[in-house]
Amino acid sequence: MTRNKKLFLLVICLVVIGCVIGFFVNQQLKDNRLVYISHTFGVFYVEEKDFYIEPGEYMEMWVIGYNDVEEDLESREEFKVYIKDANVYNLIETDQSYLISISSLSEPGQERYYLNQIQTGNGEQLRGEGE
């Protein structure tokens, strides 16, 4: 076989392998039905702040709040936002408003929001990935 035929067969094989892998990855995503959701709030009011510690296992920290710009109190949606960095958690205060960015990669109706970035009223930005 000539060099051009070998190259052509190699490209065809790679395309077929890529299509098969793409099909299985797409099918896996459909089966999991994961949805990426992201929110950014200009005025996120922190109502509650809490944590849970399983000794020797793990620790979860979160704040509960809402978009303070919404005027309709009955349709106001509350968000439970998990925080990975204890230093950031310690700087957040209840009954305060922040500029906040959160995201979730989960099944619809079972969202678990995580803090991406938070900014205080005086312009300081807080973020972190530690535990």
Side-chain angles (χ1 to χ4, degrees):
M1 282 202 304
T2 65
R3 182 181 166 124
N4 287 341
K5 287 183 180 180
K6 288 181 183 178
L7 183 61
F8 179 73
L9 287 176
L10 179 66
V11 169
I12 294 296
C13 288
L14 290 175
V15 167
V16 169
I17 291 171
C19 288
V20 169
I21 290 173
F23 172 77
F24 285 113
V25 167
N26 188 30
Q27 192 64 33
Q28 184 69 24
L29 288 175
K30 282 183 180 178
D31 290 343
N32 289 338
R33 300 191 197 301
L34 295 178
V35 177
Y36 180 79
I37 300 170
S38 178
H39 296 284
T40 301
F41 299 104
V43 183
F44 184 82
Y45 184 78
V46 177
E47 284 184 312
E48 296 179 43
K49 176 178 161 178
D50 206 354
F51 63 92
Y52 174 77
I53 299 175
E54 183 70 36
E57 299 281 325
Y58 66 92
M59 177 172 68
E60 290 183 329
M61 301 165 286
W62 64 85
V63 295
I64 299 175
Y66 56 86
N67 184 3
D68 200 24
V69 177
E70 287 185 25
E71 294 178 4
D72 187 11
L73 300 177
E74 293 191 18
S75 68
R76 184 178 281 173
E77 182 179 359
E78 286 191 337
F79 293 88
K80 184 174 186 178
V81 180
Y82 290 88
I83 301 168
K84 296 179 183 177
D85 190 345
N87 295 320
V88 172
Y89 174 81
N90 290 332
L91 292 173
I92 296 173
E93 299 176 8
T94 57
D95 300 325
Q96 296 292 322
S97 294
Y98 299 92
L99 172 84
I100 189 172
S101 172
I102 59 176
S103 62
S104 171
L105 180 62
S106 57
E107 294 181 25
Q110 298 178 352
E111 291 85 6
R112 186 172 174 128
Y113 294 101
Y114 290 94
L115 176 70
N116 292 336
Q117 190 168 355
I118 187 168
Q119 183 173 338
T120 63
N122 61 4
E124 295 175 0
Q125 291 187 2
L126 311 172
R127 61 186 294 176
E129 292 294 324
E131 292 186 24

